[in-house]
Amino acid sequence: MSTDIRLVVLDMAGTTVADGGLVEQAFRAAAADLGVADGSDEHARMLDHVRATMGESKISVFRHLFGTEDRARQANRAFEAAYHDLVDAGHCTALPGAAEAIGRLRGAGLTTVLTTGFSRATQDRILRALGWQDVADLTLCPADAGRGRPYPDMVLTALLRTGTDSVRQIAVAGDTGYDMVTGTRAGAAVVAGVLTGAHEGQRLRADGATHVLASVADLPELLGV
């Protein structure tokens, strides 16, 4: 397709970075720290919520699950510590074709931004592990924008920080329904779901995907670059 896209906003885990169940593993550590026994009904209910809300800001997920701000922050600290250990142990890899796709987009003159539902500390940990400190023009986490997904804040912050003229010049790509809702709420012209992560095509379309791709490696062709 021929588009007037100038800004591409990409999710990380599940879209450009292989998740490999790391979020669920780190959540188990967080739940244990709060005294929720693995295998209990409460744990199963919480894990279902984590799966359903993949893409949302993690601290928001923990506020919902654990009720008070103190408990949510305790869970978030335990989650981040466990996730960092997994990253440091080498369990973090780029999805096939992701770096090449980003390079192709940037080579065609499209500004490319990486976003996440993780904290800045976790996002930077992943970027360092992959050697991706300079892979994109900009990286954003929820704290940089005000609110995380499903709100449009990160996409609109990307527009403002990069000087993009119009929301209709934005393409958003992600693997979760929340990514699709975020792109739609931001007014992006292209909201592309990818099938390498948390949610299937039916959920992606229901939440506003304009296109569903096998992976982010197909995005440059979709955008005509």
Side-chain angles (χ1 to χ4, degrees):
M1 64 183 289
S2 177
T3 68
D4 190 33
I5 299 300
R6 295 290 177 267
L7 171 64
V8 182
V9 181
L10 303 172
D11 172 51
M12 291 180 64
T15 302
T16 54
V17 180
D19 172 63
L22 300 189
V23 168
E24 292 191 15
Q25 292 181 57
F27 169 73
R28 292 180 190 279
D33 198 67
L34 272 292
V36 179
D38 198 344
S40 67
D41 289 345
E42 183 182 16
H43 189 279
R45 176 185 59 80
M46 288 183 169
L47 189 55
D48 284 344
H49 182 77
V50 168
R51 289 167 177 158
T53 57
M54 285 290 191
E56 185 178 356
S57 168
K58 292 298 173 283
I59 186 63
S60 296
V61 173
F62 293 138
R63 285 174 180 138
H64 175 86
L65 290 177
F66 296 107
T68 69
E69 187 68 16
D70 284 348
R71 282 171 60 81
R73 292 195 175 278
Q74 180 183 345
N76 198 57
R77 286 192 296 271
F79 174 90
E80 289 189 349
Y83 200 97
H84 293 177
D85 286 345
L86 291 165
V87 171
D88 292 348
H91 300 294
C92 183
T93 59
L95 279 165
E100 293 81 1
I102 295 170
R104 187 168 160 187
L105 293 167
R106 295 183 75 190
L110 278 62
T111 302
T112 304
V113 178
L114 290 176
T115 63
T116 186
F118 295 135
S119 69
R120 168 55 61 184
T122 303
Q123 185 177 39
D124 285 346
R125 198 80 160 230
I126 295 168
L127 293 169
R128 285 196 300 272
L130 297 177
W132 274 17
Q133 293 94 326
D134 300 314
V135 75
D137 295 286
L138 178 67
T139 62
L140 294 171
C141 68
D144 297 322
R147 297 174 298 180
R149 308 180 191 106
Y151 300 101
D153 300 28
M154 285 195 289
V155 176
L156 297 177
T157 297
L159 175 143
L160 292 170
R161 290 201 185 178
T162 62
T164 303
D165 293 337
S166 169
V167 294
R168 303 308 294 167
Q169 295 176 328
I170 302 175
V172 172
D175 67 297
T176 71
Y178 276 30
D179 291 305
M180 305 299 96
V181 174
T182 293
T184 300
R185 288 179 173 180
V190 173
V191 182
V194 299
L195 300 176
T196 50
H199 295 152
E200 297 180 351
Q202 183 177 359
R203 166 76 183 270
L204 299 173
R205 292 186 183 91
D207 285 342
T210 59
H211 303 80
V212 175
L213 308 175
S215 78
V216 74
D218 297 328
L219 186 62
E221 183 176 356
L222 174 68
L223 300 181
V225 301

